[in-house]
Amino acid sequence: MELLVRLFFYLAPMYFANSFAMLLGGKKPLDLGKTTWDRQSLLGAGKTIRGTSAGIATGSIVTLALWFFFPAQATELTSNYLALGFLLSVGAILGDIVASFFKRRNKIPSGTPVLFLDQLDFVFGGMILGSAYYVPDFFEIVLIAVLTLVIHKASNYFAFKTKLKAVPW
């Protein structure tokens, strides 16, 4: 399978999960407003139950659609593409949640950008969980990181300009 096609099938569940968690999130915080020993929010108001479930569901639906419409390409990546896509979706959301937890522990307010952490947390979370079914090689990991940095910057700027986000990061 050509490298870019393989990367598309690999990245799509994570990218859609991450994007739709932000787009469809809101309402009740995932941490239910709890604080930790440092009296800081556990995760912050930006991590919500609705966003978490919407992100995982969207990433999983994208996985199912890719598998249904392009079964040969999907199963070239792994014989169990549906499981991989689900794990990539969950991992993307968990990676973002873990990054938020660490930002709160370091007293970094919600919405404050942290270079590389905010751009790559979801793909590394996805790669960790997805490694049960597919492990990218070193070159693919570097390419994923570079592509994600560029796409993340461009998509956030677009979301800001179209008023989907309050800040351009």
Side-chain angles (χ1 to χ4, degrees):
M1 180 187 311
E2 188 176 316
L3 176 63
L4 290 179
V5 173
R6 185 170 59 247
L7 287 180
F8 173 78
F9 276 79
Y10 186 70
L11 291 172
M14 294 185 280
Y15 278 33
F16 277 91
N18 187 56
S19 297
F20 277 79
M22 184 271 303
L23 289 172
L24 302 176
K27 303 245 179 181
K28 188 174 278 200
L30 190 59
D31 63 13
L32 304 174
K34 303 278 186 211
T35 58
T36 56
W37 65 93
D38 58 3
R39 299 186 191 264
Q40 298 291 318
S41 171
L42 186 63
L43 300 173
K47 303 298 168 236
T48 65
I49 293 171
R50 188 167 76 182
T52 299
S53 56
I56 293 169
T58 303
S60 298
I61 290 167
V62 166
T63 298
L64 184 61
L66 288 172
W67 174 80
F68 183 79
F69 290 109
F70 307 100
Q73 291 84 354
T75 54
E76 262 187 59
L77 193 59
T78 177
S79 61
N80 200 340
Y81 183 71
L82 295 177
L84 172 65
F86 176 73
L87 289 176
L88 293 172
S89 301
V90 171
I93 298 302
L94 286 177
D96 194 49
I97 289 169
V98 168
S100 186
F101 176 81
F102 283 111
K103 285 172 71 173
R104 298 302 85 77
R105 300 298 61 75
N106 287 289
K107 298 180 177 34
I108 299 170
S110 289
T112 302
V114 175
L115 187 62
F116 300 123
L117 179 66
D118 291 320
Q119 296 84 14
L120 299 174
D121 56 358
F122 75 99
V123 290
F124 285 123
M127 283 194 282
I128 290 168
L129 252 58
S131 66
Y133 289 96
Y134 181 79
V135 178
D137 64 32
F138 179 75
F139 177 72
E140 289 173 329
I141 292 170
V142 170
L143 192 55
I144 287 166
V146 170
L147 280 171
T148 300
L149 290 170
V150 171
I151 291 169
H152 195 273
K153 182 80 170 168
S155 62
N156 279 321
Y157 184 74
F158 175 79
F160 171 70
K161 284 299 197 181
T162 57
K163 304 204 184 308
L164 291 172
K165 287 186 74 170
V167 293
W169 54 80

